Amino acid sequence: MNTVVNPNDISGVVEADRKHVWHHLSQHKQYETIDPRVFVEGRGMKLWDAKGQEFLDAVSGGVWTVNVGYGRETIANAIRDQLIKLNYWAGAGGNVPAALFAEKLLTKMPGMSRVYYSNSGSEANEKVYKMVRQIAHRHHGGKKWKILYRDRDYHGTTIGTLATSGQDQRAAQYGPYPDGFVRVPHCLEYRKQWDVENYGERAADAIEEVILREGADTIGAIVLEPVTAGGGVIVPPKGYWERVQEICKKYEILLHIDEVVCGVGRTGKWFGYQNYGIEPDFVTMAKGLASGYAAISCTVTTERVFDLFKDAPDDTMSYFRDISTFGGCTAGPAAALENMRIIEDEGLLENTVKMGERLMANLAALKEKHAVIGDIRGAGLFCGAELVADRATKEPADEKKVQAVVGDCLAQGVIIGATNRSLPGLNNTLCLSPALIATAADIDAITNAIDKALTKVFG
């Protein structure tokens, strides 16, 4: 007979976790000999686990999410107050926080006008894919149904979004995938595919080559991260985005920007695409939208896209025939409203730019000291350091050693990330995404830990 564990009995909680919780991205064989790590409290950028160990979080909740830090009482109160008043009504109807947050969000996104709610980044992206397919049927005679995606980008964990995964290890063992999703080359200049002067433009031209190969009349949309996240923190090279937009307009291809990671301040702008003058047709977001205090994602479109689904009321097949059950939960937009207020009132975009510059400067100093760092790149508080066995050949550092650096930082009480089980042979980039509240002392503590770890692992 199962018994309920007293939540104050931490040893019992850890054992309950070991016996009953199936963790994400984890091989559970290890928990036969070691305890799973259970976190019990967070404040600011600090975390404490069940053993009382303190950690500085340099990855915002492990997956680029807790943008305004832990322990925000005003967000918790906003959620509580809203749930008592009205916790839920299906998204076919409206509610107060959903209307108010949509209005507020769109003030930060000139040119965009409609917000569709769901509850995860994967789901938000899947909505776009469905919209593109429905537009193809309703307006293009079934043509323009294919969706382009980029090597090294990642868009979610559903079968549909994994069909657009540019990270082969993430997608491995889950196929076969649906047809109509076509890969285009990445734009990482450090590992450039073409030896040309204007690399950004050349990388974008490679997209046009794929379009012409597939047939422009078959391509409905392209999905791209403004800065590639889990694929190695890839900042697009000069000239890339301008050329991408030219190509999309030339062939009437809808531009879908996946802001699930970059959105809501991570790069120092409200959205990553705003660093590059991009005019998207779709923008998707999740993670930092409510800083992990409630589940929420948004698929945002232009009015032009929205109008493609408007028709006479008696046309039962014209509207977007989709539902997200928990897109109707009021906790998400209530939390997102307060999250946005905090970012505005505390000047966190400005802090992100300032602290991002300090983080990149510190990483540049580490690169001077450690030959194992082949490249550093980033935007705002979203930075990466690619580790190599040889700078001249750019041979990637051994993945086990990269993970050893992560492990040593953890032992020092600093949680950093790294590309992992994503890119065959190229899981060699350390990933840093501290909360937007980071101080100079936090940034220095993060890079000091990396310095010590690199010395220990690589000498």
Side-chain angles (χ1 to χ4, degrees), residues 266-458:
R266 174 58 54 195
T267 68
K269 299 279 190 181
W270 280 107
F271 295 94
Y273 76 86
Q274 293 168 345
N275 291 285
Y276 308 108
I278 301 167
E279 297 177 359
D281 298 288
F282 305 97
V283 180
T284 47
M285 62 197 75
K287 296 188 184 293
L289 200 53
S291 288
Y293 285 84
I296 179 175
S297 65
C298 295
T299 300
V300 183
T301 76
T302 61
E303 195 70 9
R304 182 173 74 93
V305 167
F306 179 75
D307 283 345
L308 293 174
F309 294 87
K310 289 171 70 175
D311 217 326
D314 58 352
D315 186 344
T316 59
M317 297 294 284
S318 64
Y319 63 93
F320 184 45
R321 300 184 320 283
D322 179 272
I323 188 171
S324 169
T325 297
F326 290 104
C329 181
T330 61
L337 270 168
E338 179 59 14
N339 184 70
M340 188 168 278
R341 184 202 65 76
I342 288 169
I343 294 172
E344 288 181 320
D345 289 359
E346 296 185 9
L348 296 187
L349 295 186
E350 296 80 2
N351 189 65
T352 296
V353 172
K354 185 177 179 181
M355 290 301 104
E357 290 172 351
R358 187 181 189 95
L359 180 52
M360 284 298 288
N362 285 8
L363 290 174
L366 291 183
K367 184 180 176 184
E368 288 292 316
K369 180 177 180 180
H370 297 278
V372 70
I373 299 180
D375 190 36
I376 60 170
R377 42 195 185 250
L381 283 171
F382 188 27
C383 300
E386 183 165 348
L387 306 186
V388 294
D390 185 291
R391 276 189 181 175
T393 65
K394 299 181 182 178
E395 176 189 350
D398 182 87
E399 186 172 348
K400 290 182 180 179
K401 288 190 174 182
V402 177
Q403 290 302 314
V405 172
V406 175
D408 190 77
C409 286
L410 185 67
Q412 296 179 56
V414 176
I415 305 172
I416 69 168
T419 48
N420 186 28
R421 297 187 293 273
S422 299
L423 306 160
L426 287 168
N427 292 308
N428 63 318
T429 301
L430 302 180
C431 301
L432 305 171
S433 54
L436 312 189
I437 62 172
T439 65
D442 294 326
I443 298 300
D444 292 348
I446 292 164
T447 51
N448 286 342
I450 294 171
D451 184 14
K452 292 176 183 177
L454 290 174
T455 299
K456 183 174 180 179
V457 174
F458 291 97

Side-chain angles (χ1 to χ4, degrees), residues 74-298:
T74 60
I75 300 181
N77 288 340
I79 295 169
R80 175 192 178 278
D81 292 347
Q82 177 57 49
L83 294 184
I84 291 172
K85 191 167 188 178
L86 176 68
N87 66 307
Y88 180 86
W89 183 255
N95 64 72
V96 172
L100 294 180
F101 180 65
E103 182 179 56
K104 180 71 172 179
L105 175 63
L106 292 169
T107 66
K108 311 301 183 186
M109 305 178 71
M112 310 303 288
S113 72
R114 296 285 174 165
V115 179
Y116 189 96
Y117 287 106
S118 51
N119 61 83
S120 73
S122 299
E123 194 177 359
N125 287 331
E126 189 94 20
K127 304 306 181 191
V128 176
Y129 301 172
K130 291 177 70 175
M131 290 176 184
V132 171
R133 291 285 173 89
Q134 193 171 346
I135 289 169
H137 284 284
R138 295 199 68 236
H139 299 282
H140 302 292
K143 292 186 175 182
K144 295 187 81 65
W145 63 288
K146 295 178 184 176
I147 295 172
L148 304 179
Y149 67 96
R150 187 171 55 193
D151 186 27
R152 298 183 69 131
D153 279 12
Y154 177 76
H155 302 293
T157 190
T158 65
I159 293 297
T161 53
L162 277 178
T164 56
S165 176
Q167 300 175 14
D168 291 340
Q169 287 179 315
R170 293 255 191 173
Q173 301 180 356
Y174 298 118
Y177 290 104
D179 293 334
F181 299 100
V182 183
R183 186 179 299 200
V184 301
H186 67 73
C187 65
L188 175 55
E189 191 165 10
Y190 181 68
R191 296 198 173 276
K192 58 186 178 183
Q193 308 98 311
W194 308 277
D195 188 14
V196 295
E197 184 176 344
N198 298 320
Y199 179 79
E201 293 180 11
R202 179 64 187 89
D205 286 341
I207 297 174
E208 185 173 31
E209 291 167 6
V210 174
I211 292 168
L212 295 175
R213 183 193 74 206
E214 295 290 323
D217 63 341
T218 71
I219 310 298
I222 183 169
V223 55
L224 300 166
E225 293 182 271
V227 176
T228 299
V233 191
I234 301 170
V235 178
K238 182 180 178 181
Y240 181 79
W241 275 115
E242 293 86 348
R243 184 74 182 111
V244 167
Q245 290 204 118
E246 288 176 8
I247 291 167
C248 288
K249 290 176 181 178
K250 179 179 180 180
Y251 297 107
E252 297 183 351
I253 292 170
L254 296 169
L255 180 54
H256 169 192
I257 302 298
D258 178 348
E259 291 272 358
V260 169
V261 173
C262 294
V264 199
R266 174 58 54 195
T267 68
K269 299 279 190 181
W270 280 107
F271 295 94
Y273 76 86
Q274 293 168 345
N275 291 285
Y276 308 108
I278 301 167
E279 297 177 359
D281 298 288
F282 305 97
V283 180
T284 47
M285 62 197 75
K287 296 188 184 293
L289 200 53
S291 288
Y293 285 84
I296 179 175
S297 65
C298 295

